[in-house]
mmCIF file of all heavy atoms in Angstrom:
data_model
loop_
_atom_site.group_PDB
_atom_site.id
_atom_site.type_symbol
_atom_site.label_atom_id
_atom_site.label_comp_id
_atom_site.label_asym_id
_atom_site.label_seq_id
_atom_site.Cartn_x
_atom_site.Cartn_y
_atom_site.Cartn_z
ATOM 1 N N SER A 76 3.575 -0.706 -12.973
ATOM 2 C CA SER A 76 4.413 -1.711 -13.527
ATOM 3 C C SER A 76 5.546 -2.076 -12.552
ATOM 4 O O SER A 76 5.843 -3.354 -12.430
ATOM 5 C CB SER A 76 5.076 -1.275 -14.967
ATOM 6 O OG SER A 76 4.013 -1.183 -15.912
ATOM 7 N N ILE A 77 6.056 -1.014 -11.994
ATOM 8 C CA ILE A 77 7.188 -1.284 -10.858
ATOM 9 C C ILE A 77 6.612 -2.001 -9.721
ATOM 10 O O ILE A 77 7.336 -2.930 -9.135
ATOM 11 C CB ILE A 77 7.802 0.025 -10.552
ATOM 12 C CG1 ILE A 77 8.584 0.564 -11.728
ATOM 13 C CG2 ILE A 77 8.786 -0.152 -9.377
ATOM 14 C CD1 ILE A 77 8.960 2.056 -11.560
ATOM 15 N N LEU A 78 5.351 -1.652 -9.261
ATOM 16 C CA LEU A 78 4.783 -2.313 -8.106
ATOM 17 C C LEU A 78 4.473 -3.701 -8.457
ATOM 18 O O LEU A 78 4.758 -4.554 -7.685
ATOM 19 C CB LEU A 78 3.448 -1.722 -7.739
ATOM 20 C CG LEU A 78 3.545 -0.179 -7.178
ATOM 21 C CD1 LEU A 78 2.086 0.279 -6.877
ATOM 22 C CD2 LEU A 78 4.420 -0.163 -5.875
ATOM 23 N N GLU A 79 4.030 -3.957 -9.679
ATOM 24 C CA GLU A 79 3.732 -5.322 -10.063
ATOM 25 C C GLU A 79 5.155 -6.256 -10.052
ATOM 26 O O GLU A 79 5.074 -7.355 -9.686
ATOM 27 C CB GLU A 79 3.083 -5.336 -11.551
ATOM 28 C CG GLU A 79 2.764 -6.758 -11.955
ATOM 29 C CD GLU A 79 2.024 -6.729 -13.352
ATOM 30 O OE1 GLU A 79 2.220 -5.718 -14.083
ATOM 31 O OE2 GLU A 79 1.412 -7.769 -13.679
ATOM 32 N N ALA A 80 6.088 -5.610 -10.690
ATOM 33 C CA ALA A 80 7.447 -6.348 -10.733
ATOM 34 C C ALA A 80 7.973 -6.640 -9.238
ATOM 35 O O ALA A 80 8.608 -7.536 -9.107
ATOM 36 C CB ALA A 80 8.373 -5.575 -11.436
ATOM 37 N N SER A 81 7.652 -5.741 -8.372
ATOM 38 C CA SER A 81 8.119 -5.934 -6.968
ATOM 39 C C SER A 81 7.139 -6.695 -6.049
ATOM 40 O O SER A 81 7.433 -6.871 -4.860
ATOM 41 C CB SER A 81 8.205 -4.517 -6.341
ATOM 42 O OG SER A 81 8.984 -3.690 -7.182
ATOM 43 N N GLY A 82 6.105 -7.218 -6.655
ATOM 44 C CA GLY A 82 5.072 -7.947 -5.833
ATOM 45 C C GLY A 82 4.298 -7.071 -4.830
ATOM 46 O O GLY A 82 3.755 -7.633 -3.901
ATOM 47 N N LEU A 83 4.107 -5.798 -5.187
ATOM 48 C CA LEU A 83 3.463 -4.852 -4.324
ATOM 49 C C LEU A 83 2.198 -4.390 -4.967
ATOM 50 O O LEU A 83 1.550 -3.468 -4.422
ATOM 51 C CB LEU A 83 4.389 -3.671 -3.955
ATOM 52 C CG LEU A 83 5.544 -4.051 -3.054
ATOM 53 C CD1 LEU A 83 6.395 -2.905 -2.960
ATOM 54 C CD2 LEU A 83 5.083 -4.506 -1.702
ATOM 55 N N LEU A 84 1.812 -4.819 -6.214
ATOM 56 C CA LEU A 84 0.568 -4.377 -6.829
ATOM 57 C C LEU A 84 -0.660 -5.171 -6.403
ATOM 58 O O LEU A 84 -0.776 -6.318 -6.549
ATOM 59 C CB LEU A 84 0.702 -4.468 -8.352
ATOM 60 C CG LEU A 84 -0.517 -3.892 -9.111
ATOM 61 C CD1 LEU A 84 -0.548 -2.353 -8.915
ATOM 62 C CD2 LEU A 84 -0.307 -4.258 -10.625
ATOM 63 N N ILE A 85 -1.589 -4.460 -5.689
ATOM 64 C CA ILE A 85 -2.756 -5.200 -5.204
ATOM 65 C C ILE A 85 -3.963 -4.716 -5.993
ATOM 66 O O ILE A 85 -3.960 -3.693 -6.766
ATOM 67 C CB ILE A 85 -3.042 -4.791 -3.767
ATOM 68 C CG1 ILE A 85 -3.168 -3.290 -3.625
ATOM 69 C CG2 ILE A 85 -1.959 -5.355 -2.812
ATOM 70 C CD1 ILE A 85 -3.521 -2.814 -2.051
ATOM 71 N N SER A 86 -5.003 -5.425 -6.068
ATOM 72 C CA SER A 86 -6.283 -5.373 -6.901
ATOM 73 C C SER A 86 -6.938 -3.924 -6.672
ATOM 74 O O SER A 86 -7.437 -3.378 -7.572
ATOM 75 C CB SER A 86 -7.255 -6.342 -6.737
ATOM 76 O OG SER A 86 -7.669 -6.429 -5.485
ATOM 77 N N ASP A 87 -6.763 -3.409 -5.375
ATOM 78 C CA ASP A 87 -7.275 -2.069 -5.108
ATOM 79 C C ASP A 87 -6.823 -0.992 -5.909
ATOM 80 O O ASP A 87 -7.407 0.113 -6.130
ATOM 81 C CB ASP A 87 -7.109 -1.788 -3.644
ATOM 82 C CG ASP A 87 -7.816 -2.650 -2.647
ATOM 83 O OD1 ASP A 87 -8.605 -3.510 -3.105
ATOM 84 O OD2 ASP A 87 -7.635 -2.502 -1.427
ATOM 85 N N PHE A 88 -5.613 -1.169 -6.469
ATOM 86 C CA PHE A 88 -4.986 -0.132 -7.271
ATOM 87 C C PHE A 88 -5.381 -0.099 -8.794
ATOM 88 O O PHE A 88 -4.834 0.694 -9.573
ATOM 89 C CB PHE A 88 -3.357 -0.270 -7.230
ATOM 90 C CG PHE A 88 -2.869 -0.032 -5.821
ATOM 91 C CD1 PHE A 88 -1.528 -0.415 -5.459
ATOM 92 C CD2 PHE A 88 -3.625 0.592 -4.769
ATOM 93 C CE1 PHE A 88 -1.051 -0.237 -4.199
ATOM 94 C CE2 PHE A 88 -3.160 0.866 -3.502
ATOM 95 C CZ PHE A 88 -1.811 0.386 -3.209
ATOM 96 N N ASP A 89 -6.085 -1.110 -9.257
ATOM 97 C CA ASP A 89 -6.409 -1.264 -10.569
ATOM 98 C C ASP A 89 -6.953 0.016 -11.311
ATOM 99 O O ASP A 89 -6.460 0.213 -12.520
ATOM 100 C CB ASP A 89 -7.419 -2.372 -10.842
ATOM 101 C CG ASP A 89 -6.720 -3.745 -10.586
ATOM 102 O OD1 ASP A 89 -5.463 -3.814 -10.445
ATOM 103 O OD2 ASP A 89 -7.467 -4.806 -10.490
ATOM 104 N N ASN A 90 -7.824 0.757 -10.677
ATOM 105 C CA ASN A 90 -8.418 1.805 -11.302
ATOM 106 C C ASN A 90 -7.892 3.162 -10.976
ATOM 107 O O ASN A 90 -8.492 4.216 -11.178
ATOM 108 C CB ASN A 90 -9.937 1.788 -11.169
ATOM 109 C CG ASN A 90 -10.567 0.444 -11.754
ATOM 110 O OD1 ASN A 90 -10.248 0.300 -12.980
ATOM 111 N ND2 ASN A 90 -11.555 -0.202 -11.034
ATOM 112 N N THR A 91 -6.779 3.174 -10.353
ATOM 113 C CA THR A 91 -6.118 4.491 -9.977
ATOM 114 C C THR A 91 -5.333 5.123 -11.140
ATOM 115 O O THR A 91 -5.054 4.514 -12.199
ATOM 116 C CB THR A 91 -5.093 4.187 -8.789
ATOM 117 O OG1 THR A 91 -4.194 3.178 -9.165
ATOM 118 C CG2 THR A 91 -5.876 3.715 -7.617
ATOM 119 N N GLY A 92 -5.238 6.488 -10.914
ATOM 120 C CA GLY A 92 -4.515 7.280 -11.999
ATOM 121 C C GLY A 92 -3.412 8.102 -11.424
ATOM 122 O O GLY A 92 -2.959 7.961 -10.338
ATOM 123 N N ASP A 93 -2.837 9.017 -12.337
ATOM 124 C CA ASP A 93 -1.707 9.704 -12.119
ATOM 125 C C ASP A 93 -1.849 10.614 -10.771
ATOM 126 O O ASP A 93 -0.827 10.854 -10.167
ATOM 127 C CB ASP A 93 -1.396 10.634 -13.301
ATOM 128 C CG ASP A 93 -0.929 9.867 -14.550
ATOM 129 O OD1 ASP A 93 -1.077 8.706 -14.518
ATOM 130 O OD2 ASP A 93 -0.404 10.474 -15.497
ATOM 131 N N SER A 94 -3.019 11.017 -10.476
ATOM 132 C CA SER A 94 -3.167 11.958 -9.347
ATOM 133 C C SER A 94 -3.477 11.308 -8.081
ATOM 134 O O SER A 94 -3.800 11.894 -7.015
ATOM 135 C CB SER A 94 -4.262 12.964 -9.704
ATOM 136 O OG SER A 94 -5.525 12.354 -9.874
ATOM 137 N N ASP A 95 -3.370 9.957 -8.098
ATOM 138 C CA ASP A 95 -3.674 9.274 -6.854
ATOM 139 C C ASP A 95 -2.377 8.723 -6.229
ATOM 140 O O ASP A 95 -1.448 8.325 -6.867
ATOM 141 C CB ASP A 95 -4.540 7.979 -7.157
ATOM 142 C CG ASP A 95 -5.880 8.196 -7.756
ATOM 143 O OD1 ASP A 95 -6.450 9.188 -7.270
ATOM 144 O OD2 ASP A 95 -6.398 7.639 -8.653
ATOM 145 N N LEU A 96 -2.336 8.817 -4.908
ATOM 146 C CA LEU A 96 -1.156 8.411 -4.120
ATOM 147 C C LEU A 96 -1.305 7.086 -3.739
ATOM 148 O O LEU A 96 -2.418 6.702 -2.973
ATOM 149 C CB LEU A 96 -0.829 9.280 -3.020
ATOM 150 C CG LEU A 96 0.330 9.007 -2.053
ATOM 151 C CD1 LEU A 96 1.520 9.039 -2.903
ATOM 152 C CD2 LEU A 96 0.346 9.968 -0.842
ATOM 153 N N LEU A 97 -0.437 6.159 -4.005
ATOM 154 C CA LEU A 97 -0.529 4.784 -3.694
ATOM 155 C C LEU A 97 0.407 4.383 -2.559
ATOM 156 O O LEU A 97 1.636 4.593 -2.683
ATOM 157 C CB LEU A 97 -0.329 3.784 -4.950
ATOM 158 C CG LEU A 97 -1.107 4.215 -6.159
ATOM 159 C CD1 LEU A 97 -0.851 3.048 -7.222
ATOM 160 C CD2 LEU A 97 -2.690 4.299 -5.921
ATOM 161 N N ILE A 98 -0.109 3.718 -1.443
ATOM 162 C CA ILE A 98 0.887 3.408 -0.477
ATOM 163 C C ILE A 98 0.596 1.817 -0.223
ATOM 164 O O ILE A 98 -0.446 1.413 0.005
ATOM 165 C CB ILE A 98 0.504 4.136 0.822
ATOM 166 C CG1 ILE A 98 0.552 5.638 0.756
ATOM 167 C CG2 ILE A 98 1.463 3.671 1.970
ATOM 168 C CD1 ILE A 98 -0.060 6.357 1.807
ATOM 169 N N CYS A 99 1.681 1.068 -0.419
ATOM 170 C CA CYS A 99 1.662 -0.389 -0.166
ATOM 171 C C CYS A 99 2.736 -0.896 0.763
ATOM 172 O O CYS A 99 3.811 -0.397 0.602
ATOM 173 C CB CYS A 99 1.729 -1.032 -1.596
ATOM 174 S SG CYS A 99 1.212 -2.764 -1.538
ATOM 175 N N ILE A 100 2.191 -1.726 1.543
ATOM 176 C CA ILE A 100 3.345 -2.190 2.688
ATOM 177 C C ILE A 100 3.194 -3.764 2.712
ATOM 178 O O ILE A 100 2.080 -4.230 2.858
ATOM 179 C CB ILE A 100 3.013 -1.616 4.032
ATOM 180 C CG1 ILE A 100 3.098 -0.147 4.043
ATOM 181 C CG2 ILE A 100 4.012 -2.134 5.114
ATOM 182 C CD1 ILE A 100 2.597 0.586 5.260
ATOM 183 N N LYS A 101 4.270 -4.420 2.629
ATOM 184 C CA LYS A 101 4.436 -5.926 2.845
ATOM 185 C C LYS A 101 5.112 -6.056 4.116
ATOM 186 O O LYS A 101 6.204 -5.546 4.325
ATOM 187 C CB LYS A 101 5.218 -6.588 1.698
ATOM 188 C CG LYS A 101 5.272 -8.054 1.905
ATOM 189 C CD LYS A 101 6.261 -8.682 0.812
ATOM 190 C CE LYS A 101 5.696 -8.695 -0.585
ATOM 191 N NZ LYS A 101 6.539 -9.326 -1.457
ATOM 192 N N ALA A 102 4.448 -6.748 5.093
ATOM 193 C CA ALA A 102 4.994 -6.906 6.425
ATOM 194 C C ALA A 102 4.823 -8.359 6.945
ATOM 195 O O ALA A 102 4.087 -9.125 6.304
ATOM 196 C CB ALA A 102 4.430 -5.877 7.342
ATOM 197 N N GLU A 103 5.516 -8.538 8.066
ATOM 198 C CA GLU A 103 5.283 -9.926 8.720
ATOM 199 C C GLU A 103 3.941 -10.302 9.212
ATOM 200 O O GLU A 103 3.599 -11.372 9.330
ATOM 201 C CB GLU A 103 6.369 -10.076 9.752
ATOM 202 C CG GLU A 103 7.742 -10.137 9.270
ATOM 203 C CD GLU A 103 8.868 -10.042 10.364
ATOM 204 O OE1 GLU A 103 8.481 -9.937 11.561
ATOM 205 O OE2 GLU A 103 9.967 -10.137 10.000
ATOM 206 N N ASN A 104 3.184 -9.188 9.526
ATOM 207 C CA ASN A 104 1.885 -9.367 10.040
ATOM 208 C C ASN A 104 0.896 -8.258 9.810
ATOM 209 O O ASN A 104 1.346 -7.154 9.439
ATOM 210 C CB ASN A 104 1.794 -9.737 11.534
ATOM 211 C CG ASN A 104 2.465 -8.712 12.547
ATOM 212 O OD1 ASN A 104 1.961 -7.573 12.359
ATOM 213 N ND2 ASN A 104 3.517 -8.963 13.032
ATOM 214 N N GLU A 105 -0.382 -8.478 9.989
ATOM 215 C CA GLU A 105 -1.423 -7.383 9.630
ATOM 216 C C GLU A 105 -1.367 -6.321 10.640
ATOM 217 O O GLU A 105 -1.650 -5.076 10.242
ATOM 218 C CB GLU A 105 -2.876 -8.077 9.685
ATOM 219 C CG GLU A 105 -3.815 -7.249 8.997
ATOM 220 C CD GLU A 105 -5.190 -8.007 8.773
ATOM 221 O OE1 GLU A 105 -5.232 -9.008 9.303
ATOM 222 O OE2 GLU A 105 -6.072 -7.537 8.111
ATOM 223 N N GLN A 106 -0.875 -6.583 11.802
ATOM 224 C CA GLN A 106 -0.935 -5.335 12.794
ATOM 225 C C GLN A 106 0.086 -4.413 12.286
ATOM 226 O O GLN A 106 -0.103 -3.166 12.453
ATOM 227 C CB GLN A 106 -0.545 -6.001 14.078
ATOM 228 C CG GLN A 106 -0.480 -4.910 15.226
ATOM 229 C CD GLN A 106 0.026 -5.522 16.530
ATOM 230 O OE1 GLN A 106 0.227 -6.771 16.607
ATOM 231 N NE2 GLN A 106 0.159 -4.630 17.480
ATOM 232 N N ILE A 107 1.295 -4.716 11.695
ATOM 233 C CA ILE A 107 2.263 -3.780 11.359
ATOM 234 C C ILE A 107 1.763 -2.978 9.962
ATOM 235 O O ILE A 107 1.820 -1.804 10.082
ATOM 236 C CB ILE A 107 3.582 -4.422 10.891
ATOM 237 C CG1 ILE A 107 4.151 -5.137 12.100
ATOM 238 C CG2 ILE A 107 4.577 -3.511 10.359
ATOM 239 C CD1 ILE A 107 5.345 -6.034 11.853
ATOM 240 N N THR A 108 1.067 -3.598 9.169
ATOM 241 C CA THR A 108 0.575 -2.939 7.868
ATOM 242 C C THR A 108 -0.461 -1.970 8.252
ATOM 243 O O THR A 108 -0.459 -0.779 7.870
ATOM 244 C CB THR A 108 0.051 -4.002 6.807
ATOM 245 O OG1 THR A 108 -1.093 -4.732 7.456
ATOM 246 C CG2 THR A 108 1.094 -4.843 6.309
ATOM 247 N N ASP A 109 -1.424 -2.359 9.151
ATOM 248 C CA ASP A 109 -2.519 -1.558 9.553
ATOM 249 C C ASP A 109 -2.090 -0.284 10.278
ATOM 250 O O ASP A 109 -2.449 0.865 10.164
ATOM 251 C CB ASP A 109 -3.507 -2.467 10.446
ATOM 252 C CG ASP A 109 -4.361 -3.294 9.579
ATOM 253 O OD1 ASP A 109 -4.204 -3.265 8.373
ATOM 254 O OD2 ASP A 109 -5.145 -4.136 10.137
ATOM 255 N N SER A 110 -1.060 -0.508 11.174
ATOM 256 C CA SER A 110 -0.434 0.514 12.000
ATOM 257 C C SER A 110 0.084 1.753 11.062
ATOM 258 O O SER A 110 -0.094 2.846 11.370
ATOM 259 C CB SER A 110 0.675 -0.027 12.826
ATOM 260 O OG SER A 110 1.422 1.078 13.510
ATOM 261 N N PHE A 111 0.885 1.244 10.073
ATOM 262 C CA PHE A 111 1.365 2.329 9.102
ATOM 263 C C PHE A 111 0.360 3.018 8.318
ATOM 264 O O PHE A 111 0.360 4.192 7.973
ATOM 265 C CB PHE A 111 2.476 1.694 8.215
ATOM 266 C CG PHE A 111 3.840 1.642 8.903
ATOM 267 C CD1 PHE A 111 4.355 0.613 9.373
ATOM 268 C CD2 PHE A 111 4.591 2.961 9.223
ATOM 269 C CE1 PHE A 111 5.631 0.564 10.070
ATOM 270 C CE2 PHE A 111 5.738 3.060 9.761
ATOM 271 C CZ PHE A 111 6.247 1.905 10.144
ATOM 272 N N LEU A 112 -0.628 2.172 7.771
ATOM 273 C CA LEU A 112 -1.581 2.681 6.738
ATOM 274 C C LEU A 112 -2.590 3.639 7.600
ATOM 275 O O LEU A 112 -3.062 4.635 6.996
ATOM 276 C CB LEU A 112 -2.475 1.486 6.169
ATOM 277 C CG LEU A 112 -1.657 0.623 5.201
ATOM 278 C CD1 LEU A 112 -2.463 -0.486 4.745
ATOM 279 C CD2 LEU A 112 -1.173 1.554 3.965
ATOM 280 N N ASN A 113 -2.741 3.364 8.842
ATOM 281 C CA ASN A 113 -3.637 4.236 9.602
ATOM 282 C C ASN A 113 -2.920 5.459 10.059
ATOM 283 O O ASN A 113 -3.505 6.515 10.397
ATOM 284 C CB ASN A 113 -4.184 3.516 10.906
ATOM 285 C CG ASN A 113 -5.055 2.371 10.485
ATOM 286 O OD1 ASN A 113 -5.759 2.486 9.533
ATOM 287 N ND2 ASN A 113 -5.138 1.413 11.300
ATOM 288 N N ASP A 114 -1.513 5.535 9.928
ATOM 289 C CA ASP A 114 -0.778 6.633 10.426
ATOM 290 C C ASP A 114 -0.041 7.480 9.434
ATOM 291 O O ASP A 114 0.818 8.214 9.588
ATOM 292 C CB ASP A 114 0.248 6.066 11.462
ATOM 293 C CG ASP A 114 0.804 7.301 12.415
ATOM 294 O OD1 ASP A 114 0.060 8.038 12.750
ATOM 295 O OD2 ASP A 114 2.030 7.291 12.542
ATOM 296 N N THR A 115 -0.504 7.297 8.087
ATOM 297 C CA THR A 115 0.197 7.811 7.088
ATOM 298 C C THR A 115 0.214 9.423 7.082
ATOM 299 O O THR A 115 1.276 9.880 6.688
ATOM 300 C CB THR A 115 -0.418 7.400 5.644
ATOM 301 O OG1 THR A 115 -1.876 7.528 5.701
ATOM 302 C CG2 THR A 115 -0.055 5.989 5.175
ATOM 303 N N GLU A 116 -1.018 9.951 7.401
ATOM 304 C CA GLU A 116 -1.079 11.414 7.452
ATOM 305 C C GLU A 116 0.142 11.955 8.479
ATOM 306 O O GLU A 116 0.819 12.980 8.039
ATOM 307 C CB GLU A 116 -2.292 11.888 7.988
ATOM 308 C CG GLU A 116 -3.379 11.790 6.878
ATOM 309 C CD GLU A 116 -4.750 12.303 7.324
ATOM 310 O OE1 GLU A 116 -4.834 13.179 8.089
ATOM 311 O OE2 GLU A 116 -5.750 11.901 6.733
ATOM 312 N N ASN A 117 0.310 11.309 9.596
ATOM 313 C CA ASN A 117 1.316 11.725 10.509
ATOM 314 C C ASN A 117 2.702 11.624 9.986
ATOM 315 O O ASN A 117 3.566 12.362 10.301
ATOM 316 C CB ASN A 117 1.114 11.087 11.786
ATOM 317 C CG ASN A 117 -0.053 11.541 12.633
ATOM 318 O OD1 ASN A 117 -0.391 12.631 12.597
ATOM 319 N ND2 ASN A 117 -0.696 10.683 13.409
#
């Protein structure tokens, strides 16, 4: 609900539950979002 209110809720998250970790990034371009999403483990 908080993600939705913040404009960060994407359709991929629709069927997720309490034990799922959700990472969402809004950035100026796709290169920035992909860089962080690919590097989350580090």
Side-chain angles (χ1 to χ4, degrees):
S76 294
I77 292 166
L78 290 179
E79 184 178 15
S81 306
L83 293 172
L84 185 65
I85 58 175
S86 58
D87 293 359
F88 296 164
D89 287 351
N90 297 315
T91 53
D93 292 13
S94 60
D95 298 323
L96 178 64
L97 312 183
I98 303 167
C99 192
I100 301 168
K101 182 188 284 187
E103 291 174 357
N104 59 61
E105 194 167 9
Q106 187 181 351
I107 296 171
T108 58
D109 289 351
S110 172
F111 274 108
L112 293 175
N113 293 332
D114 198 38
T115 48
E116 284 185 23
N117 286 330

